Amino acid sequence: MGRYIQVEDGVNLFVQDLGEGIPVIFLHGWPANQLMFEYQFSKLPMNGYRCIGIDFRGFGKSDAPWDGYTYDRMADDVRAVIDELGLENAVLVGFSMGGAVAIRYMARHQGHGIAQLALMGAAAPVFVKRPDFDYGLMTADDFTTDMIEATYEDRPKMLSKFGLQFTHSKKRAGTMVWLESLCLQASHHGTIKAAIALRDEDLRGDLAAVNVPTVIFQGMKDKICDPQFAQLLSESITDARVVPFEHSGHAMMFDEAEKFDKELLLFLDQVAATNQIPRPASQNL
């Protein structure tokens, strides 16, 4: 079921809410929307999980205000959704930019309502190379030219080029067309301003505040987020483990879908066991 939730500055966020049980909050990557998790939304409710997908402001069906695309603002939006839905002992799942916002949420809001964290190809701790950060697969100048300026000039062309780096599998042409269609639903200015946040934000000071069990999924052939990010995150988050996807690019949920679903369900089941939360019996297809 989809609904709109109005946040503090009057922006309406579109939120998908499916199933019953332990809440699992999904934060999508740039510049897609929560529909990128549609396969998980179809499967997890059959295993006793409630899937909650949030379209960030400027993306999907959410409002697209002129301002408000910092990680702080997007983390505050997540808090507004959690409070409105009264969520407790939830699992926060963040992919790519969504992973970065999830980390900022854990630091800025002291992990309010969250029992465990899953980071997937997270654009963190810093997305681009800097003089004091020698990781990342591009410099800030290259990102400005290839992603931000290219979006000003020809957004569909930029998205087509970006999509070629998204997965490792060459058999996913149909999936890439579908994902590109999701990205085209975003606002033009929201796409640009969120890209500026990707380029400029720094999460190194946030990581010590993550104090819940954390799993880090990382495609080892990722051409968007440096695979070394996963190791850096695991070294700075107290209770974290890395699950490598050896045959995946950035989007391991498509390149190694079976392994992804298995590992995600294993992690979610740990939430139920740790918090002694009963789950409904699994349903067969």
Side-chain angles (χ1 to χ4, degrees), residues 79-283:
R79 173 65 184 262
V81 172
I82 288 173
D83 287 347
E84 176 66 22
L85 298 180
L87 303 179
E88 298 178 350
N89 292 318
V91 183
L92 186 58
V93 177
F95 172 73
S96 197
M97 182 186 77
V101 174
I103 292 169
R104 176 57 51 83
Y105 176 84
M106 296 301 293
R108 184 170 172 84
H109 294 284
Q110 297 80 50
H112 171 76
I114 303 302
Q116 299 198 207
L117 175 67
L119 302 173
M120 301 166 177
V126 180
F127 183 58
V128 297
K129 290 180 180 292
R130 297 185 179 188
D132 64 341
F133 187 77
D134 197 31
Y135 302 92
L137 297 178
M138 64 180 73
T139 65
D141 287 344
D142 287 341
F143 183 77
T144 300
T145 300
D146 295 347
M147 310 304 287
I148 297 173
E149 292 178 359
T151 301
Y152 274 116
E153 294 170 5
D154 190 333
R155 183 165 66 112
K157 181 178 179 180
M158 180 281 294
L159 290 173
S160 294
K161 183 178 178 181
F162 179 67
L164 294 174
Q165 304 175 61
F166 206 69
T167 69
H168 177 65
S169 172
K170 303 302 182 184
K171 300 178 182 179
R172 291 286 180 178
T175 298
M176 290 303 98
V177 171
W178 167 68
L179 283 169
E180 190 172 326
S181 74
L182 299 186
C183 296
L184 284 168
Q185 294 175 28
S187 65
H188 189 247
H189 61 275
T191 299
I192 291 168
K193 293 192 174 189
I196 292 171
L198 269 171
R199 182 193 66 190
D200 294 347
E201 298 265 12
D202 187 340
L203 294 157
R204 284 175 287 184
D206 297 60
L207 298 176
V210 179
N211 59 359
V212 299
T214 301
V215 67
I216 300 165
F217 288 3
Q218 180 62 54
M220 302 314 292
K221 299 183 185 299
D222 195 332
K223 294 182 180 179
I224 294 174
C225 287
D226 191 337
Q228 293 185 81
F229 286 177
Q231 185 61 35
L232 295 175
L233 292 172
S234 69
E235 291 171 356
S236 298
I237 296 174
T238 301
D239 187 5
R241 64 182 178 90
V242 177
V243 177
F245 289 76
E246 299 293 344
H247 307 291
S248 290
H250 190 47
M252 73 292 294
M253 67 279 291
F254 302 118
D255 282 338
E256 294 182 73
E258 184 175 349
K259 178 179 178 180
F260 176 86
D261 289 339
K262 179 181 177 182
E263 292 286 352
L264 179 58
L265 189 58
L266 176 65
F267 181 67
L268 295 179
D269 286 346
Q270 292 172 353
V271 180
T274 300
N275 294 284
Q276 298 182 334
I277 302 172
R279 294 189 294 111
S282 297
Q283 304 170 27

Side-chain angles (χ1 to χ4, degrees), residues 27-48:
L27 305 182
H28 63 81
W30 177 90
N33 58 58
Q34 50 84 24
L35 286 178
M36 68 171 294
F37 299 110
E38 69 172 32
Y39 295 99
Q40 288 67 51
F41 293 172
S42 293
K43 296 174 183 177
L44 290 179
M46 293 188 294
N47 288 278

